[in-house]
Amino acid sequence: MADLVVSLYAPALDALGRKVAATDITIRPVLAPEQRLVVDWVRDNFSDNWASEALVAITRQPASCLIAIREGQIMGFACYDAIARGFFGPTGVAVDARGQGIGAALLHSTLQTMKNMGYAYAIVGDPGPTQFYVDAVGAIEIPLPGKGIYADMLRAPAP
Ligand SMILES: CC(C)(COP(=O)(O)OP(=O)(O)OC[C@H]1O[C@@H](n2cnc3c(N)ncnc32)[C@H](O)[C@@H]1OP(=O)(O)O)[C@@H](O)C(=O)NCCC(=O)NCCS
């Protein structure tokens, strides 16, 4: 998939914020003492590669990994500045919690955080669900071939 660019100053970001405002979920940056818990959750629910990115994001100051929490349980996560500065992702929601607006709420909170940090655009690298980003925040495909920064990435074998 081509990388995507998202304008953090387009009306779509504020519109998404209004849409997710009623979502019943707490979203906040990961606290340093939660590092192992969150990285293990990402590995168990997604992959070792994403767990590595989450580790990098969590060990920044401030942490550039946000989690969605409901009733004391992690429901999802989203990172920025993990594989490269200005990149959104990885992100994911627990399988059983999908379709409840959590992914959209994480996307909004993370992009708003990036905007507050001084970014004007965010890149979504090699996205899976391109349409999710197109519909949610008006993401635009960058018309370049190849996998960009992920081209030669070593992938951990499936457990
Ligand atoms: C993509 C993902 C984060 C979405 O999370 P979610 O909590 O299920 O999404 P939401 O419930 O917030 O959905 C918000 C909107 O996006 C749509 N949507 C959700 N997943 C979608 C997908 N894969 N493709 C297109 N649209 C999608 C929903 O239908 C909803 O639309 P609506 O506003 O018109 O009702 C989740 O499916 C996931 O974890 N996928 C596996 C990991 C992954 O692919 N991460 C992205 C890597 S770039």
Side-chain angles (χ1 to χ4, degrees):
M1 293 291 172
D3 290 349
L4 307 175
V5 62
V6 178
S7 168
L8 305 181
Y9 281 85
L13 184 58
D14 287 340
L16 181 63
R18 289 190 290 275
K19 188 171 176 178
V20 301
T23 306
D24 172 27
I25 198 88
T26 298
I27 295 178
R28 62 159 173 78
V30 177
L31 300 172
E34 300 166 332
Q35 177 259 309
R36 188 187 296 265
L37 189 75
V38 174
V39 170
D40 286 351
W41 187 90
V42 173
R43 184 182 299 105
D44 291 347
N45 285 271
F46 296 99
S47 70
D48 206 46
N49 288 127
W50 282 14
S52 297
E53 291 191 81
L55 177 62
V56 167
I58 293 167
T59 50
R60 287 185 188 287
Q61 195 64 269
S64 62
C65 181
L66 284 70
I67 44 174
I69 305 166
R70 179 182 284 154
E71 295 173 2
Q73 301 296 317
I74 303 171
M75 296 287 127
F77 80 107
C79 302
Y80 65 96
D81 286 357
I83 193 166
R85 290 184 186 177
F87 272 55
F88 170 87
T91 186
V93 172
V95 172
D96 292 349
R98 290 181 192 168
Q100 301 173 26
I102 298 172
L106 277 164
L107 178 65
H108 173 262
S109 292
T110 307
L111 293 180
Q112 186 62 50
T113 301
M114 293 180 74
K115 184 176 179 178
N116 296 345
M117 296 288 287
Y119 290 109
Y121 294 90
I123 304 294
V124 186
D126 191 26
T130 296
Q131 200 60 41
F132 171 70
Y133 297 103
V134 172
D135 294 345
V137 284
I140 296 168
E141 285 195 31
I142 300 171
L144 293 171
K147 293 248 176 200
I149 195 168
Y150 299 93
D152 296 326
M153 189 183 84
L154 302 175
R155 292 174 194 275

